[in-house]
Amino acid sequence: MTARLRRALPHDLDAETRTLYDKITSGPRGGFMVDGEGGLTGPFNAMLLSPPVGDPLQELGAALRYRSTLTGRARELAILVVAGHQDSAFEQAAHEPIARRLGFTEEQVRALRDGSPLTLPDPGEAAVLAVARALVTKGDLDDGEYAALGERELFELTTLVGYYTTLALQLRVFRV
């Protein structure tokens, strides 16, 4: 597939868009979301199309990634559930290596990619897996799934699933 969205380069940006670009590239994601010419990769290039919407969206992603109470393993588990369900190649390529560094095995990563059964020994991670899969497949939780996590963790997890679902949609539409 050919990308639909032209890569925005820093020297071509107006002041408002450059402010957002600088905000994204100066944060912890900046080092790996910039290509050799200075353009943003992944979902961040599209965020530059509308700084009033793109800025809060990238802020939400930063909060979920760097300031939530979800463990790194829980976060990557949920992201990869969404990426697998949405068949988001970019999100898989970006997050599978992180999951591996956090100790997920190739078999586990493959199960997250294709949605096959996966047994996790940690009860908290098993609950995150069950909740994330329920959210992407039926968009709701039964009482048991709801009770499996604390309300703060559940709030953060549902927000994370919604955020990465949004990114997967944008990545697909813009052919990133």
Side-chain angles (χ1 to χ4, degrees):
M1 271 186 275
T2 303
R4 291 179 168 162
L5 186 60
R6 185 181 68 78
R7 179 85 27 103
L9 299 177
H11 62 274
D12 293 332
L13 304 176
D14 63 32
E16 179 185 37
T17 308
R18 180 60 193 242
T19 298
L20 175 55
Y21 174 92
D22 290 343
K23 195 176 209 181
I24 293 168
T25 58
S26 66
R29 297 175 294 204
F32 61 91
M33 286 297 167
V34 179
D35 67 18
E37 298 177 76
L40 295 176
T41 63
F44 299 100
N45 188 49
M47 291 178 191
L48 297 177
L49 293 171
S50 175
V53 175
D55 187 26
L57 185 60
Q58 71 84 25
E59 276 293 330
L60 176 60
L64 290 166
R65 188 92 191 273
Y66 303 108
R67 298 188 298 270
S68 84
T69 61
L70 296 172
T71 68
R73 284 180 58 92
R75 184 186 62 244
E76 295 307 317
L77 184 62
I79 291 168
L80 290 175
V81 166
V82 173
H85 182 76
Q86 295 289 333
D87 195 26
S88 181
F90 181 89
E91 292 298 345
Q92 289 167 329
H95 289 275
E96 286 179 357
I98 298 169
R100 288 182 190 100
R101 283 194 299 276
L102 291 171
F104 286 96
T105 66
E106 283 305 316
E107 181 182 327
Q108 291 169 328
V109 169
R110 197 170 22 264
L112 292 168
R113 189 181 312 122
D114 65 24
S116 61
L118 174 58
T119 302
L120 295 170
D122 180 274
E125 290 177 6
V128 167
L129 175 64
V131 168
R133 283 185 167 173
L135 291 171
V136 299
T137 58
K138 60 184 182 179
D140 197 3
L141 302 176
D142 62 31
D143 290 342
E145 292 159 341
Y146 182 87
L149 299 170
E151 288 182 328
R152 179 176 178 163
E153 188 176 21
L154 190 58
F155 173 76
E156 291 178 2
L157 184 59
T158 58
T159 305
L160 182 140
V161 167
Y163 173 76
Y164 278 91
T165 299
T166 297
L167 294 187
L169 175 65
Q170 292 172 343
L171 289 163
R172 186 172 40 259
V173 168
F174 292 112
R175 305 288 191 262
V176 176

